[in-house]
Amino acid sequence: MKLIQFSAGQGPSECALAVKLGVRRFIEDAEKLGLRVDIVEQEAGEIKGTFKSVLLMLKTDDVNTAQQQCLEQWQGSIQWICRSPYRPKHGRKNWFFNVVLWESDESQPLNTSDVEIKTCRSSGAGGQHVNTTDSAVQLLHKPTGLSVKVQTERSQHQNKRLAFALLNHKIKALESQQSEALKGNLRLQHHQVERGQAVRVFEGERFRERS
């Protein structure tokens, strides 16, 4: 299961807008190559229509060479050069967000006794299945308090599998954060974005790539 995370880290609203533009561009690029992508989880930014974080899932684990190249081109720090649409007098024009591709590790399953499982009806976009079946799955990891809710798939079984994979990833990220904190060098990919080493650069409100 391949998952892709776009994150503005602790950046301002302009970075959250860049995430929105980046996700839209990525989905367009992926679909042109025949890759199917679903939004699994998203964290809204302070300004409506922007996102601090978006988690996407590829609908297939089998990718061809062109598709793999597309994925690799997006991994890392992405730079967006544009005057702030929110703060016209602000001098800064360079905004960054981070993209990470990872595969879920299901070789070490969670202890189900530590997880509270709830099923509920899906909400939002989802066609005829919305509010008709209890296909959405919400998990709470009692030892850490971490929770996830997944409703992208039509079957409860598929949503449950994805939810456990996502929760497992969050727990490992938390453990990594705590480990780094003990070393006095806190660093977590979801909360920190590398600046000055962009793998791709886009410009303007149309989000056109710099050649």
Side-chain angles (χ1 to χ4, degrees):
M1 185 185 303
K2 295 183 184 294
L3 296 157
I4 304 167
Q5 184 180 53
F6 286 66
S7 175
Q10 298 300 311
S13 294
E14 290 84 357
C15 295
L17 174 58
V19 166
K20 171 190 175 180
L21 298 174
V23 168
R24 184 169 63 190
R25 172 65 182 266
F26 171 78
I27 292 176
E28 290 175 354
D29 290 350
E31 290 182 343
K32 287 178 182 177
L33 294 172
L35 282 171
R36 294 176 56 200
V37 182
D38 274 350
I39 296 177
V40 176
E41 188 179 66
Q42 57 190 27
E43 180 183 354
E46 295 179 358
I47 295 178
K48 184 178 180 180
T50 66
F51 299 99
K52 292 182 179 179
S53 176
V54 177
L55 183 66
L56 305 172
M57 178 184 66
L58 295 184
K59 297 293 288 183
T60 177
D61 288 330
D62 298 321
V63 297
N64 59 39
T65 301
Q67 292 169 338
Q68 184 62 36
Q69 288 178 344
C70 173
L71 297 177
E72 292 175 354
Q73 287 173 353
W74 279 95
Q75 288 194 78
S77 177
I78 308 295
Q79 181 180 5
W80 179 45
I81 303 174
C82 186
R83 289 193 177 277
S84 171
Y86 309 127
R87 298 178 287 174
K89 296 182 180 180
H90 192 61
R92 179 178 168 184
K93 295 191 297 182
N94 295 295
W95 317 100
F96 295 83
F97 62 92
N98 202 45
V99 182
V100 177
L101 171 68
W102 53 278
E103 296 194 37
S104 64
D105 182 8
E106 299 179 65
S107 62
Q108 297 180 336
L110 294 173
N111 185 345
T112 55
S113 64
D114 290 336
V115 181
E116 181 179 318
I117 305 173
K118 292 183 179 180
T119 58
C120 53
R121 292 184 178 181
S122 298
S123 59
Q128 62 181 349
H129 292 269
V130 172
N131 296 326
T132 59
T133 60
D134 291 342
S135 60
V137 175
Q138 185 170 1
L139 304 181
L140 171 65
H141 187 242
K142 290 179 282 188
T144 62
L146 293 173
S147 65
V148 298
K149 180 180 179 181
V150 176
Q151 58 182 25
T152 56
E153 303 302 307
R154 293 191 174 187
S155 79
Q156 184 182 117
H157 174 75
Q158 290 172 314
N159 281 328
K160 185 176 180 180
R161 175 173 175 261
L162 178 55
F164 267 97
L166 179 55
L167 183 60
N168 196 21
H169 175 71
K170 285 191 172 185
I171 292 171
K172 289 182 179 179
L174 178 62
E175 291 173 348
S176 175
Q177 178 185 14
Q178 293 171 339
S179 175
E180 293 296 327
L182 290 174
K183 297 175 184 178
N185 183 27
L186 180 60
R187 180 181 178 86
L188 183 62
Q189 64 187 27
H190 181 65
H191 292 139
Q192 183 167 340
V193 176
E194 288 284 348
R195 291 169 172 76
Q197 299 181 354
V199 297
R200 299 181 76 174
V201 180
F202 296 87
E203 295 180 301
E205 295 183 6
R206 295 187 178 182
F207 207 73
R208 291 179 174 174
E209 186 166 14
R210 172 181 282 185
S211 57

